[in-house]
Each structure stands twice: as C-alpha cells, then as structure tokens.
Amino acid sequence: MFSKEPRILLIEPDQATRTEISDFLTEKNFEVICSLEPDNVLFDEALKTDPVGLILVSDQFDRDFLSESSLVLGAPKKLPQQVPAVIMTEIVSGKSSLELVVHNWFHTIKKPCDSDILYSVTCAAINQFKHIRALLNEIETRSSAIGLITSGTFEFQSVEEARNLTTMLSLACPGADGIVIGLNELLQNAVEHGNLEIGYDLKTELLETGRLYDEIQNRIKLEPFDSRFVRVSYQRTDDEIIFVIEDEGKGFNWRKYLTIDDERIRSSHGRGIAMAKMMAFTELTYNDIGNRVTARIAL
C-alpha cells in the first residue's frame, strides 16, 4: 500500500497550459509530476510506494510517441490497471479519439479546463484509485478454492459481506484484479441503492455530511430493510462466467448510469456501473425495473 496521497501525472505539451494546470492542482494539495515521457514515470521503481493515481493527458500529445507508450491499448508494456486516465481536449463536439484507445479512460474534460470541473474530476478519479487499490490489496493477500467450483448461490445483507464475497468470487475469475472492481460496485449498489433504498440524491447528501456509513448501519436494522437479502448466482462454463445479482428493492432507472456524463462527474458518486461496464465485464444487462443485473465475462 502507498503511504501518501497518490500523485498526478500531467502530460501536456503546451507549456503555458501545463503550468496553469500544475499550479492549480498543487494549490489543492496534489503532487503533480509533469512529463512527456509517461512510461519513465509510471514504471519508475522509486514511485512504487507512492504511485501515480491519475493520468491527465492532453489529446495534443504527440501521437507517434503516444502509440509507443503503455497508455494505449495493445501496447507491449501494460499500464497499471488501477490508474485512471482523464483526457483533456479542445474538441467542442463529439469525442476525442483518445477515448477509444487509451487505457482506463475515466472521463474527458474540455480545454481550457474549468477549475471546478478539473478539481471534481481529479478528486473523483483519485478516490476511485484508492478504493481500487484497497480491493486489489485484499486480492493479493487472500487465496480461495472457489476457482474449483463451477456454480454457486450466495446471499448477503451488509456492505462488509458484499466486499468479502467480491474478493472470493473475483478470485474465481481470470484477471481477478479487474473483475474485483466492477463486481464490488454491483454488489455494493445492490445493498445501498437496492435493499436499503438510498437514492442518488440522498447518498450525495450523506457523503457530503459524512453520514453514509451510519445511515447504512441504521437502515439495515429497520423494517422492511432488515429482512432483505441480495442474492448472487455464479456459473462458469467453457465459454463464459455469469454473475446474476438480484436485490429486493424497488429498482431504479439503470439506463442513465451506463455512461458517465458531465453532471455526475461533478458528484462524489454515480460512476460505478459505467466503470464496471467498461473495465470488468464483457456484457452487463439489467431487467426492466433494475433490481437484477446479469454480468458476463467471456473466457
């Protein structure tokens, strides 16, 4: 585990823009490393204990050099999976081409960067990095015989039980360090938003006031929440792994959470489903009301 706040790698060829962004983030108490040679930073042995937790990359960065770095899909050297990448672009409409090729795309922000959006995106990405690192640390320190099982059904109620089950089931999958990220989001959502009926706006308020944990602990003891369970089925075939996760809540409008928009990137939450869809699963489908999700991993 790291001992300090994760660092930010800023890849911006324009010196004035680079200085402006670096100074702003430094004032917000982030440590910023500016470099046009990303692999020299990302694979620096000296940074292993205090690693890069976010990559801010301009899509004006030299394409030939970019194609030779670990930032792009298919590169010989693999970018550490847990490091999110935020693309900065001057494209007014449409997508930056980097969104399609960069590893671990988290969000795209328009240049010149709005300071509020830049700060919100940075905080959200760093928080995700720290959350993922904690999950990966559990994967590294645990072992499981679940890989010998081809099917199973599990029930749980609490966020803590969801996390433990996440670790165990992820170890049954190839590439556990990627699956654990998406699976944890789905199981945690089933508890918080499903069975405990903590909606998006309420969770925002609880996070801002530091009361989310207490609210979860209180609700799980009250009717009708105390009798609700999340059920997870796991099945492995020769071709795929299938998770079916079902809660006993009223469902939600899952369609709007399959992508990340500018409104929710400013929020402290609300990106988990989109990230799970992008990073962990081959296919992610919900039933109509949204209280059952099927996640598939092609083998």
Side-chain angles (χ1 to χ4, degrees):
M1 295 295 288
F2 46 84
S3 59
K4 303 177 185 176
E5 282 293 304
R7 308 179 189 198
I8 297 171
L9 171 58
L10 176 59
I11 307 171
E12 171 55 69
D14 181 77
Q15 183 174 351
T17 303
R18 183 168 67 243
T19 300
E20 181 181 359
I21 293 174
S22 178
D23 288 349
F24 171 75
L25 292 175
T26 300
E27 289 176 1
K28 296 295 185 180
N29 297 319
F30 292 107
E31 183 174 351
V32 181
I33 303 172
C34 297
S35 177
L36 297 180
E37 299 183 352
D39 284 358
N40 288 350
V41 177
L42 292 168
F43 297 96
D44 187 343
E45 291 292 323
L47 297 180
K48 278 193 172 182
T49 55
D50 302 301
V52 169
L54 167 63
I55 300 168
L56 282 172
V57 54
S58 169
D59 64 0
Q60 294 180 334
F61 184 48
D62 185 272
R63 299 302 174 89
D64 292 334
F65 195 91
L66 181 69
S67 64
E68 298 176 359
S69 77
S70 64
L71 293 178
V72 297
L73 299 171
K77 189 175 287 189
K78 186 178 179 182
L79 178 72
Q81 186 170 22
Q82 69 270 25
V83 183
V86 170
I87 297 165
M88 302 178 294
T89 181
E90 292 181 353
I91 296 174
V92 177
S93 60
K95 291 185 176 182
S96 165
S97 59
L98 283 191
E99 293 180 34
L100 301 177
V101 299
V102 72
H103 268 298
N104 308 339
W105 173 80
F106 184 78
H107 196 64
T108 299
I109 55 180
K110 300 295 186 294
K111 295 168 65 177
C113 299
D114 177 274
S115 58
D116 289 340
I117 293 179
L118 177 60
Y119 181 64
S120 296
V121 171
T122 298
C123 290
I126 290 292
N127 286 337
Q128 175 186 283
F129 172 80
K130 292 192 287 187
H131 172 66
I132 290 172
R133 286 280 297 225
L135 288 171
L136 294 178
N137 186 60
E138 291 185 20
I139 288 288
E140 291 174 0
T141 56
R142 289 185 60 175
S143 60
S144 173
I146 191 74
L148 304 176
I149 299 174
T150 57
S151 63
T153 302
F154 309 87
E155 291 186 346
F156 65 91
Q157 284 187 300
S158 70
V159 171
E160 291 79 10
E161 291 170 336
R163 188 178 181 115
N164 289 335
L165 184 59
T166 294
T167 305
M168 182 177 69
L169 291 177
S170 296
L171 288 167
C173 304
D177 56 346
I179 303 306
V180 70
I181 300 165
L183 189 58
N184 182 253
E185 293 292 344
L186 298 182
L187 298 192
Q188 186 168 316
N189 282 348
V191 175
E192 294 181 2
H193 301 306
N195 284 356
L196 300 183
E197 298 183 19
I198 298 175
Y200 180 86
D201 292 337
L202 176 57
K203 183 170 181 177
T204 299
E205 177 187 338
L206 293 170
L207 284 169
E208 289 176 350
T209 57
R211 296 184 292 118
L212 178 61
Y213 177 81
D214 290 339
E215 182 68 16
I216 290 173
Q217 300 307 311
N218 290 334
R219 287 198 178 210
I220 209 166
K221 300 173 186 176
L222 302 175
E223 295 182 351
F225 311 123
D226 61 347
S227 61
R228 293 179 177 177
F229 285 84
V230 177
R231 293 172 179 82
V232 180
S233 71
Y234 163 87
Q235 183 177 11
R236 181 172 185 142
T237 69
D238 292 338
D239 301 319
E240 64 180 353
I241 293 173
I242 305 171
F243 295 102
V244 180
I245 302 156
E246 185 170 5
D247 62 65
E248 298 184 74
K250 298 177 181 178
F252 73 112
N253 180 16
W254 51 270
R255 295 165 185 84
K256 66 182 290 187
Y257 294 97
L258 291 177
T259 58
I260 303 172
D261 57 29
D262 284 333
E263 178 182 355
R264 276 182 291 114
I265 199 62
R266 291 173 177 265
S267 177
S268 53
H269 66 106
R271 294 168 294 275
I273 293 173
M275 297 306 298
K277 182 171 178 284
M278 287 188 292
M279 298 178 65
F281 304 113
T282 309
E283 181 181 312
L284 197 65
T285 56
Y286 282 84
N287 65 346
D288 190 55
I289 67 170
N291 72 333
R292 184 176 69 249
V293 59
T294 301
R296 298 176 182 271
I297 304 167
L299 299 177

